[in-house]
Amino acid sequence: MPDFGPARHLPAHHHTRERWHNGAGWTRRILRLPAGDGWALSLSIADIEETAAYSCLPGVQREQVLLSGDGLRLEFTDGEVATLLPPHQRIRFAGDRGVTGVPLDGPPVRAFNAMWRPDMVDVTLLHRPLVGGMFCFCDVDTAWAVYLLGGSARVSAEGEDFRLDGGDGAWLAAPGRRRFVLDGAGEALLLRVQRTGTGLAPAQ
């Protein structure tokens, strides 16, 4: 896994819109580390406008969270059927499993996608309310990604200070041990990203 790089603001208006890997839908890319096809971590928002097969991604683990719409049914080729309902149900599955996404009661459906290569990083996804301050501890082996579902928040640390509105993201990383404060009101998805094989960083 290459260096996590610096902390940075990921505002919604900078998300890159691109075709799915299999051409069956559209996604808005929030973050890809490193850039290019050899990524270890990819965060994006999928706009699912019709029944569509997902891309097959061997060696990738993925977690999907419903953001908006009446719901999403996932039909796996091995026979499993899972339904994501509002407000923010989620599912984790291997990227090489064949699956088709079916919007419930018609489109559009929007979903948050976290995808990573487990031989390079481990990812823990948390859904948390924001009521006041929350700490995210980073070091050379641990970084955090934030996606603000709603409300507003401020991210601050020594030398860093930026504001998040609903739909914005942030990448929190540092070359050494560092504490970031996420302060606001609303709710967020928090992703702890850890180099594979290292211990977990403390968080509260």
Side-chain angles (χ1 to χ4, degrees):
M1 174 69 194
D3 191 282
F4 283 144
R8 51 195 181 273
H9 188 197
L10 303 168
H13 64 273
H14 285 173
H15 298 170
T16 304
R17 191 169 187 258
E18 58 189 31
R19 274 286 189 185
W20 288 5
H21 183 73
N22 66 5
W26 288 94
T27 192
R28 288 181 295 132
R29 179 159 50 87
I30 300 171
L31 177 70
R32 184 175 289 167
L33 288 176
D37 293 335
W39 49 266
L41 174 71
S42 177
L43 306 179
S44 62
I45 305 295
D47 293 312
I48 305 171
E49 299 176 349
E50 59 184 346
T51 297
Y54 286 18
S55 301
C56 181
L57 299 170
V60 170
Q61 189 76 12
R62 64 191 300 168
E63 190 158 352
Q64 188 165 69
V65 183
L66 184 70
L67 296 181
S68 63
D70 293 325
L72 178 66
R73 186 170 68 250
L74 299 182
E75 300 177 349
F76 292 89
T77 55
D78 59 16
E80 180 184 358
V81 176
T83 302
L84 305 184
L85 296 175
H88 300 299
Q89 280 195 329
R90 54 182 164 151
I91 186 173
R92 179 180 288 212
F93 57 95
D96 60 356
R97 291 182 68 189
V99 59
T100 295
V102 183
L104 299 184
D105 297 323
V109 165
R110 181 165 289 172
F112 178 89
N113 280 311
M115 298 186 290
W116 66 95
R117 302 186 193 276
D119 61 333
M120 301 176 75
V121 294
D122 293 319
V123 173
T124 302
L125 190 153
L126 308 169
H127 177 200
R128 291 288 185 265
L130 295 179
V131 183
M134 179 182 300
F135 298 144
C136 294
F137 292 94
C138 297
D139 57 36
V140 67
D141 291 318
T142 306
W144 290 79
V146 179
Y147 179 77
L148 197 64
L149 295 167
S152 61
R154 178 183 176 188
V155 175
S156 59
E158 184 179 353
E160 303 287 350
D161 191 346
F162 44 83
R163 176 187 171 89
L164 305 181
D165 294 311
D168 288 347
W171 177 247
L172 311 181
R177 186 165 176 81
R178 193 176 191 186
R179 186 186 73 172
F180 290 84
V181 180
L182 178 63
D183 190 12
E187 57 182 332
L189 298 178
L190 302 174
L191 296 92
R192 180 170 51 196
V193 181
Q194 183 99 32
R195 295 178 196 275
T196 300
T198 61
L200 292 177
Q204 66 181 60

